[in-house]
DNA sequence: CGGTAATTCAAACGTCCGTTTAATATTTCT
DNA sequence: AGAAATATTAAACGGACGTTTGAATTACCG
């Protein structure tokens, strides 16, 4: 276990192809030949650099963690100290999460890879947890506690935050169901805005905040 | 396209093994040999009865739809005509959905199969939609409209109902993340109750209903 | 420059995949 | 009972899989 330097060259190309293809098709349904072809590398390069297909999967999870961690730390937002500021920060974070999960820019192959790893309960779920789920949940717990006046460490607070996250995540995971029922063909900016406004209203309601008053 | 009689014997055994294994491991990661072994049938039986592995997958989706439809129609509940009744009916349905998705009884292999098919966007997603997602969403829209006084067919109503569903679904899909963060090893009756109470509180808040008053 | 290590490559490895075959067993019906 | 349809079986098929091999190439460094 060394310090995980940033990969480059063939290594990086293989990891990026793996992130994309594993995310699109799943681990079992993706062949090493397909990955090598997409990366412009030889088939044997996967065994050479990562020891095998499973090793590449882990390397992809590590790269996911690396990029996600840097994405998390570069968007701290201004610190909230009052309940009103905390509520505003919650709105901002939830909106950003929705854009990250549903939008087509930025996230790229990261979100599909994460959801696959989660659904397949693969070896990358640990890194998904540590680099994305836990930090996000923690920040939201702190802000919720500040905005609502409750204990940030209580069971109820942690559950409430999961209901907030779940509302957002489902619009991505259940995308084929949602778009079909809504009569949309994809999530465009307008659709994302509509969803965001609804989630924002839900948050206000859960906080007992009346935006009209 | 005949009338889809209930399968029996080898056919049924293969379908049940397929529902279970496809749900546990995913379609691509499950071999026909494994299915035949689990069903106590010969390998060639899959090709004989269903034309191939893909045919078995479709047959599993049809069986899923059959069981889900019957499960949906046998729990109509008493019809709601007032806002208070509608709110109570919403609480009941959401609680039942949570138990169905998180509990270990009844659902069996159906829920994992459904979630896999959804995650892989497989050919069964259409049947999942028609036999589960659409009927459930429709009922909830009607009840929400009655409970809140809004239009059951409006975009906002349909979105709100998806946020309700998403809160519940995420506790199943994100189970490894949730249990780890909550310090639980699984979802027991106590944990499900806690989650249900929180979702119930959220619903009340979204309806502008004050349970203390 | 020469030598050593690191990397890439075409080719082949053995294994498991989904499917097919052809023979046998079972059921169905006259 | 006997013919016909249906179902099950063991065995083999060609192909794709992940991996390994050993030589060729490239990069690094005294």
């Amino acid at each position: 276990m060394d310090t995980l330097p940033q990969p480059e060259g063939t290594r990086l190309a293989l990891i990026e192809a793996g992130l994309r293809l594993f995310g699109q098709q799943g681990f079992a349904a993706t062949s090493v030949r397909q990955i090598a072809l997409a990366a412009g590398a030889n088939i044997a390069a996967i065994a050479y650099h990562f020891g095998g297909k499973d090793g590449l999967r882990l390397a992809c999870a590590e790269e996911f963690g690396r990029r996600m961690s840097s994405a998390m730390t570069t968007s701290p937002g201004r610190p909230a100290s009052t309940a009103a500021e905390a509520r505003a920060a919650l709105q901002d974070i939830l909106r950003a999460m929705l854009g990250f999960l549903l939008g087509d820019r930025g996230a790229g192959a990261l979100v599909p890879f994460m959801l696959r790893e989660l659904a397949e309960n693969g070896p990358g779920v640990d890194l998904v947890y540590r680099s994305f789920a836990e930090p996000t949940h923690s920040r939201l717990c702190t802000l919720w506690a500040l905005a609502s006046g409750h204990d940030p460490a209580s069971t109820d607070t942690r559950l409430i935050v999961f209901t907030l996250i779940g509302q957002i995540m489902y619009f991505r995971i259940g995308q084929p169901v949602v778009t079909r029922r809504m009569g949309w063909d994809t999530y465009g900016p307008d659709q994302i805005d509509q969803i965001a406004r609804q989630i924002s209203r839900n948050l206000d309601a859960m906080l007992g905040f009346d935006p009209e008053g």
Side-chain angles (χ1 to χ4, degrees), chain A:
Chain A
M1 287 297 167
D2 34 358
T3 52
L4 300 174
Q6 300 215 18
E8 53 188 352
T10 302
R11 275 187 78 96
L12 180 61
L14 286 170
I15 288 176
E16 273 176 342
L19 278 172
R20 184 166 53 85
L21 293 173
F22 288 154
Q24 282 175 6
Q25 316 173 352
F27 179 75
T30 304
S31 74
V32 294
R33 284 170 173 81
Q34 193 182 1
I35 295 172
L37 182 71
N42 190 274
I43 316 167
I46 293 169
Y48 175 77
H49 283 286
F50 309 103
K53 194 186 179 187
D54 291 289
L56 174 59
R57 185 188 207 169
L58 264 176
C60 287
E62 282 163 4
E63 181 66 19
F64 166 85
R66 208 174 291 120
R67 296 185 187 179
M68 195 59 72
S69 295
S70 83
M72 298 294 293
T73 53
T74 55
S75 66
R78 60 193 181 291
S81 57
T82 71
E85 283 172 4
R87 192 182 65 84
L90 277 174
Q91 302 276 17
D92 288 350
I93 292 182
L94 294 184
R95 181 66 177 80
M97 274 186 67
L98 195 69
F100 174 70
L101 286 170
L102 265 50
D104 45 5
R105 67 167 47 248
L110 258 46
V111 171
F113 178 83
M114 174 181 70
L115 294 180
R116 285 279 182 187
E117 210 62 23
L118 196 68
E120 300 176 6
N121 219 331
V125 77
D126 182 68
L127 273 150
V128 168
Y129 180 84
R130 295 208 313 269
S131 63
F132 179 64
E134 202 280 335
T136 303
H137 192 271
S138 257
R139 282 178 66 188
L140 291 177
C141 280
T142 306
L143 289 171
W144 170 268
L146 193 52
S148 68
H150 291 121
D151 176 8
S154 74
T155 300
D156 279 355
T157 296
R158 278 179 289 168
L159 278 183
I160 286 178
V161 167
F162 273 127
T163 66
L164 288 174
I165 292 174
Q167 289 178 50
I168 293 173
M169 291 284 282
Y170 182 71
F171 280 98
R172 170 67 192 225
I173 294 161
Q175 179 164 1
V177 169
V178 173
T179 52
R180 179 165 171 181
R181 178 86 178 126
M182 299 303 294
W184 300 340
D185 36 313
T186 55
Y187 289 140
D190 296 350
Q191 283 76 39
I192 295 180
D193 263 7
Q194 264 190 302
I195 298 172
R197 276 198 300 273
Q198 188 53 58
I199 286 171
S200 173
R201 280 192 291 263
N202 286 356
L203 172 62
D204 283 343
M206 289 164 62
L207 280 169
F209 177 82
D210 183 4
E212 319 255 344

